[in-house]
């Protein structure tokens, strides 16, 4: 009995620790004052109004959205065959390769960003936009591989063999039988990867440049100059959108089992 | 020439060693052959080699006169039924059954008729639009059967198809499989570890152990005349005693177990090859025994460790010179507290095998 009370206390403390900052941000975004303060004084929606009217935010939002969608899509297209191979076949050096594929998720983002900067921009001299897209693809790849692998492991290999024994080539069986049955895994991978890309700072920091910035980078830049609650309002919008996407995906598809 | 011929097969490598080594198998057209054995004995590897999911490293696979060695599984005309059914979860019963027909480019106008016929055969008319998740285990296995026989395969392979069903359904499906086999006359290879399934379904049983065939024969052959200690044990000759060969005559084989002499009048495959003085094992079934309170011919002295009265039968755990013996006898034949008893085994229920040091 006593134990469970202590556990409950720990749970509440953790909850406050995790959720608290979000609540502070959301509440402070409704402040009517021009300086961030908690608890806020007054109530207004002026910062929301301001967010929508700052052009930098609008252009960088679209940049983040486009980068995120393109990189996620690419990482999925590359990640599915890799996950499929790794789940289905055994080969020498498989563990080492799996570790290598997941390295961008283990190595600190700043290091990855710097490495990509050296490689893409200095050595290859490719356009910044392309570098940003490729860099995001690289960091999303481990996520798509991992989530798709999890859903493939839940899929009975016998089903694929049944399709082959009925006359499908292995490739046809993959598209006709495997893909339709790992749909929710694919969607889970897409959402996780997209959110990862959309929120990424360390890698984007190195791979953005004149005229090319993502929303989180723009938010950082803005915060260096202004202390008003605009960023709180913008963050609140992002939080709400993220929660809605993840919750509805969980309700409809039960994606949490793949993450 | 046999319908299925596996010749000199090496297949299914596990840690650098082939599961099947120099393996031979012949199956005649229209037979239902069971591959019976414990897990890891190579029965599933054999099945998968025939299906083409395992490519033999060595040897030849010939089915119906066609050389299938190196032919991928989707180009072999073989139906497969899996233990866990392996239905396509996103397709309806109708679409599951239609899958193979479409892949085989069967003319569109013929497909509905064929599906109706086969669903009728497995009593699933009216379930066409259900998804696999909306069916019971037995119904799923019927769909799996329908899906694999609608393509009119040369051969049907079944990998423990009944082991996920409960006892009652298993009996039903067993009868159903038997009926289908007789009705269609299709050659079937049936993998199982359940001896009752193998005995009741097969025209021939192949008992496998460690990648080799221990014995093949009719269900009666296997059940009555196991040829190796492994088969004897696997098929229910749970009791074995070590002994020494004394005499091999017209009357039968005489063996010394401890100080006692025992006679076996039962011919088993290799008993005639035994020499006097050879170490042998004596096998008998728990339900072929009687427990007596006095010494008679063909009895060994034992002592009761435990007796469990179950009404029409009593189960005894006994020991004979340190070897545990199980006996199931009708009623209660001796008092529980009997100090000394004798196990009687009829001479025609005893099997003598060479002791291979197991």
């Amino acid at each position: 009995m006593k134990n469970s009370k202590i556990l409950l206390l720990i749970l509440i403390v953790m909850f406050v620790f995790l959720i608290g900052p979000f609540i502070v941000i959301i509440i402070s975004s409704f402040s009517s004052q021009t300086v961030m303060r908690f608890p806020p004084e007054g109530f207004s929606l002026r910062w929301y109004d301001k967010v929508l009217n700052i052009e930098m935010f609008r252009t960088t939002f679209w940049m983040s959205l486009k980068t995120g969608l393109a990189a996620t899509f690419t990482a999925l297209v590359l990640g599915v065959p890799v996950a499929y191979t790794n789940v289905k076949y055994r080969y020498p050096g498989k563990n080492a390769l799996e570790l290598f594929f997941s390295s961008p998720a283990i190595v600190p983002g700043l290091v990855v960003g710097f490495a990509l900067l050296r490689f893409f921009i200095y050595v290859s001299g490719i356009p910044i936009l392309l570098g940003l897209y490729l860099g995001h693809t690289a960091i999303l790849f481990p996520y798509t591989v991992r989530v798709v692998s999890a859903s493939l492991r839940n899929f009975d290999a016998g089903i694929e063999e049944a399709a082959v024994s009925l006359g499908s080539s292995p490739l046809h069986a993959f598209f006709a039988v495997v893909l339709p049955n790992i749909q929710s895994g694919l969607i889970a991978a897409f959402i996780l990867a997209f959110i990862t890309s959309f929120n990424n700072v360390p890698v984007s920091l190195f791979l953005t440049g004149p005229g090319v910035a993502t929303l989180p980078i723009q938010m950082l830049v803005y915060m260096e100059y202004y202390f008003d609650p605009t960023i709180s309002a913008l963050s609140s919008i992002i939080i709400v959108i993220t929660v809605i996407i993840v919750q509805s995906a969980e309700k409809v598809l039960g994606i949490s089992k793949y993450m | 020439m046999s319908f299925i011929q596996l010749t000199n097969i090496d297949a299914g490598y596990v840690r650098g060693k082939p599961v099947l080594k120099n393996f031979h198998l012949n199956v005649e057209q229209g037979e239902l052959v069971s591959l019976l054995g414990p897990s890891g004995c190579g029965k599933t590897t054999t099945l998968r080699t025939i299906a083409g999911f395992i490519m033999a490293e060595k040897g030849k696979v010939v089915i119906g006169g066609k050389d299938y060695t190196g032919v991928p599984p989707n180009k072999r005309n073989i139906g497969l039924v899996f233990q866990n059914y392996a239905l396509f979860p996103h397709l309806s019963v109708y679409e599951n059954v239609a899958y193979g027909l479409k892949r085989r480019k069967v003319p569109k106008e013929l497909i509905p008729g064929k599906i109706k016929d086969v669903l009728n055969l497995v009593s699933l008319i009216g379930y066409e639009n259900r998804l696999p998740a909306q069916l019971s285990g037995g119904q799923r296995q019927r769909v799996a059967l329908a899906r694999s026989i609608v393509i009119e395969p040369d051969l049907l392979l079944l990998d423990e198809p009944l082991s996920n069903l409960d006892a009652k359904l298993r009996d039903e499906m067993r009868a159903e499989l038997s009926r289908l086999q007789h009705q269609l006359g299709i050659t079937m290879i049936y993998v199982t570890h359940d001896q009752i399934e193998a005995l009741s379904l097969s025209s021939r049983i192949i008992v496998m152990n460690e990648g080799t065939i221990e014995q093949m024969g009719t269900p009666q052959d296997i059940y009555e005349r196991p040829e190796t200690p492994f088969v004897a044990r696997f098929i229910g000759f749970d009791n074995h005693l070590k002994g020494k060969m004394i005499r091999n005559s017209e009357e039968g084989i005489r063996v010394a177990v401890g100080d006692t002499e025992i006679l076996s009048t039962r011919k088993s495959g290799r008993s005639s090859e035994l020499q006097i003085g050879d170490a042998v094992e004596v096998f008998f079934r728990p339900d072929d025994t009687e427990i007596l309170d006095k010494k008679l011919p063909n009895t060994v002295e034992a002592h009761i460790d435990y007796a469990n009265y179950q009404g029409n039968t009593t189960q005894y755990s006994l020991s004979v010179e340190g070897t545990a013996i199980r006996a199931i006898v009708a009623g209660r034949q001796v008092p529980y507290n009997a100090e000394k008893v004798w196990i009687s085994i009829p001479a025609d229920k005893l099997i003598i095998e060479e002791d291979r040091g197991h």
Side-chain angles (χ1 to χ4, degrees), chain B residues 121-135:
Chain B
L121 200 63
V122 296
S123 332
L124 275 177
I125 294 288
Y127 290 88
E128 289 84 347
N129 296 322
R130 300 253 192 125
L131 287 172
Q134 298 164 319
L135 299 175

Side-chain angles (χ1 to χ4, degrees), chain B residues 45-64:
Chain B
T45 304
T46 308
L47 196 82
R48 292 175 67 77
T49 306
I50 297 171
F53 288 112
I54 295 177
M55 284 294 168
E57 304 276 325
K58 221 189 86 197
K60 231 172 138 181
V61 180
V62 177
I63 298 165

Side-chain angles (χ1 to χ4, degrees), chain A residues 152-204:
Chain A
L152 280 170
R153 268 184 220 106
N154 288 339
F155 179 73
D156 173 15
I159 295 172
E160 201 183 342
E161 289 186 346
V164 171
S165 81
L166 291 169
S168 280
S169 67
L171 191 69
H172 180 269
F174 179 78
F175 284 105
V177 174
V178 181
L179 271 190
N181 286 303
I182 59 163
Q183 253 180 31
S184 46
L186 294 178
I187 293 170
F190 195 94
I191 290 172
L192 181 68
F194 178 76
I195 290 173
T196 305
S197 161
F198 196 85
N199 290 333
N200 184 276
V201 170
V203 174
S204 301

Side-chain angles (χ1 to χ4, degrees), chain B residues 86-155:
Chain B
L87 297 179
F88 307 131
H90 62 302
L91 298 179
S92 68
V93 169
Y94 184 92
E95 288 165 320
N96 262 282
V97 178
Y99 191 95
L101 295 174
K102 286 182 186 159
R103 295 314 301 160
R104 263 146 233 267
K105 309 264 182 320
V106 171
K108 268 213 176 94
E109 62 276 12
L110 295 182
I111 291 180
K114 280 179 183 280
I115 293 177
K116 197 166 172 238
D117 287 349
V118 79
L119 287 182
N120 192 22
L121 200 63
V122 296
S123 332
L124 275 177
I125 294 288
Y127 290 88
E128 289 84 347
N129 296 322
R130 300 253 192 125
L131 287 172
Q134 298 164 319
L135 299 175
S136 71
Q139 290 167 337
R140 285 182 209 182
Q141 198 53 289
R142 284 165 206 269
V143 177
L145 266 170
R147 183 179 68 175
S148 58
I149 56 183
V150 76
I151 59 171
E152 294 166 25
D154 298 334
L155 169 68

Side-chain angles (χ1 to χ4, degrees), chain B residues 152-200:
Chain B
E152 294 166 25
D154 298 334
L155 169 68
L156 191 60
L157 304 176
L158 304 109
D159 189 1
E160 310 235 5
L162 307 184
S163 57
N164 279 3
L165 301 175
D166 62 45
K168 190 170 161 285
L169 259 176
R170 210 177 309 158
D171 288 348
E172 272 177 43
M173 282 300 291
R174 208 156 62 203
E176 179 118 9
L177 267 175
S178 198
R179 177 180 67 81
L180 274 176
Q181 210 262 334
H182 286 116
Q183 211 166 326
L184 303 171
I186 187 171
T187 312
M188 294 192 190
I189 297 186
Y190 190 99
V191 159
T192 182
H193 64 269
D194 183 323
Q195 46 158 308
I196 296 173
E197 249 172 61
L199 291 169
S200 67

Side-chain angles (χ1 to χ4, degrees), chain B residues 254-321:
Chain B
R254 283 194 178 275
V255 168
V257 175
D259 307 329
T260 331
E261 228 180 272
I262 288 186
L263 173 71
S264 164
T265 55
R266 183 157 172 165
K267 295 254 181 323
S268 86
R270 299 175 194 175
S271 56
S272 55
E273 297 160 20
L274 291 170
Q275 302 296 317
I276 288 164
D278 280 355
V280 293
E281 277 185 293
V282 178
F283 288 90
F284 54 98
R285 290 199 159 91
D287 48 3
D288 283 340
T289 52
E290 305 234 26
I291 308 290
L292 307 174
D293 54 4
K294 59 181 182 293
K295 187 173 167 62
L296 285 176
N298 255 29
T299 56
V300 286
E301 193 180 321
H303 121 285
I304 300 177
D305 292 331
Y306 181 72
N308 186 3
Y309 179 66
Q310 299 184 334
N312 56 344
T313 60
T314 305
Q315 301 210 13
Y316 288 95
S317 297
L318 308 120
S319 54
V320 175
E321 291 174 0

